[in-house]
Amino acid sequence: MTTDARLAAELAEQAGALLLDVLADAGDLEPKALGKRGDAESNALLLDRLATHRPGDAVLSEESADDLARLDANRVWIVDPLDGTREFAKQGRSDWAVHVALWEAGREITAAAVAQPALDVVHASDDVVDAGARREGRTRILVSDSRPPEFAAPVARRLDADLVPMGSAGAKAMAVLRGEADVYVHAGGQWEWDSAAPVGVVLAAGLHASRVDGSALRYNESHPYLPDLVICRPELADALLAAIAEELS
């Protein structure tokens, strides 16, 4: 049987390939309609494949009604069929992703994959390597290009760091994973499907992931709103969290 992590990677890759086909066939479709089509078709593929390969598991998806029976399940797949719908629908953007993660009772996220189809890459929790040496140069802090946290700029000044805007949550988390940046911070609104897969992948690589107050990220909650997130190299975590705490106090 395919392991959960391999299944997550395969499904993320398959959904990503489908999304590239949607883009190729977009024609004169308006961006909003294009994003809606991508969301729907990717979601349908993921639900179908999960029903086939893991028929006994529950699913929490951004694009489906929330079945609260998941709260009594031991295994719940948490998926975002298209993370970064806005970026996906803009010609030439690569900062969008597909998220597939598995939550297990008492263990949190146990398998995860993030596909970035426009970059032809899939990062999965079973094949990432430990974070290597820190990149040279000034610290780079990734933030949303549309909703950066209010504390981001003063925190960057405290840490003598540069703020860098980028699209989807998955794209930002994987940029930190690859060493293209050092930190990703978000506050002001996210849901479990926005962070479950990225967090599963970066934790497997030895990076730090938490809420902005340093507390643990919890998934498969009754209300799946999980509004803030910090992902960073582990050696930066203490100073980063202290700087955020100072700005929020």
Side-chain angles (χ1 to χ4, degrees), residues 2-201:
T2 303
T3 66
D4 292 323
R6 277 298 87 205
L7 179 62
E10 291 168 9
L11 297 189
E13 184 173 27
Q14 291 167 15
L18 179 150
L19 287 166
L20 291 176
D21 289 341
V22 170
L23 284 177
D25 294 336
D28 296 327
L29 205 62
E30 292 295 322
K32 186 174 181 180
L34 177 60
K36 186 174 181 180
R37 177 183 292 179
D39 280 326
E41 293 193 14
S42 180
N43 189 55
L45 182 149
L46 291 174
L47 294 182
D48 177 73
R49 299 291 196 275
L50 287 170
T52 297
H53 296 286
R54 298 293 189 270
D57 295 352
V59 180
L60 172 63
S61 170
E62 179 181 15
E63 301 303 325
S64 297
D66 186 4
D67 182 355
L68 293 180
R70 65 181 172 79
L71 299 176
D72 297 318
N74 289 321
R75 291 167 51 93
V76 180
W77 291 88
I78 303 175
V79 302
D80 190 342
L82 176 49
D83 176 56
T85 304
R86 179 175 62 93
E87 290 78 16
F88 168 80
K90 290 185 177 181
Q91 185 175 4
R93 294 287 292 259
S94 62
D95 49 348
W96 52 275
V98 178
H99 298 177
V100 181
L102 174 65
W103 172 94
E104 293 189 76
R107 301 177 61 197
E108 288 297 321
I109 304 301
T110 58
V114 176
Q116 290 185 264
L119 300 181
D120 192 26
V121 63
V122 179
H123 295 290
S125 56
D126 67 340
D127 67 356
V128 292
V129 297
D130 290 343
R134 185 179 174 188
R135 53 180 293 279
E136 296 182 359
R138 288 168 58 85
T139 298
R140 290 164 55 91
I141 300 176
L142 298 179
V143 294
S144 168
D145 58 2
S146 60
R147 294 175 295 142
E150 291 184 3
F151 60 74
V155 164
R157 288 192 293 271
R158 284 177 178 270
L159 300 178
D160 193 27
D162 295 323
L163 287 183
V164 181
M166 187 179 286
S168 78
K172 291 190 282 287
M174 295 305 99
V176 176
L177 177 74
R178 291 191 296 267
E180 297 162 8
D182 307 289
V183 175
Y184 163 36
V185 294
H186 183 84
Q190 280 187 345
W191 300 80
E192 289 187 12
W193 45 76
D194 291 307
S195 65
V199 164
V201 173

Side-chain angles (χ1 to χ4, degrees), residues 227-245:
D228 54 80
L229 173 67
V230 169
I231 290 174
C232 67
R233 297 188 58 82
E235 65 270 24
L236 299 177
D238 288 346
L240 175 65
L241 292 171
I244 293 173

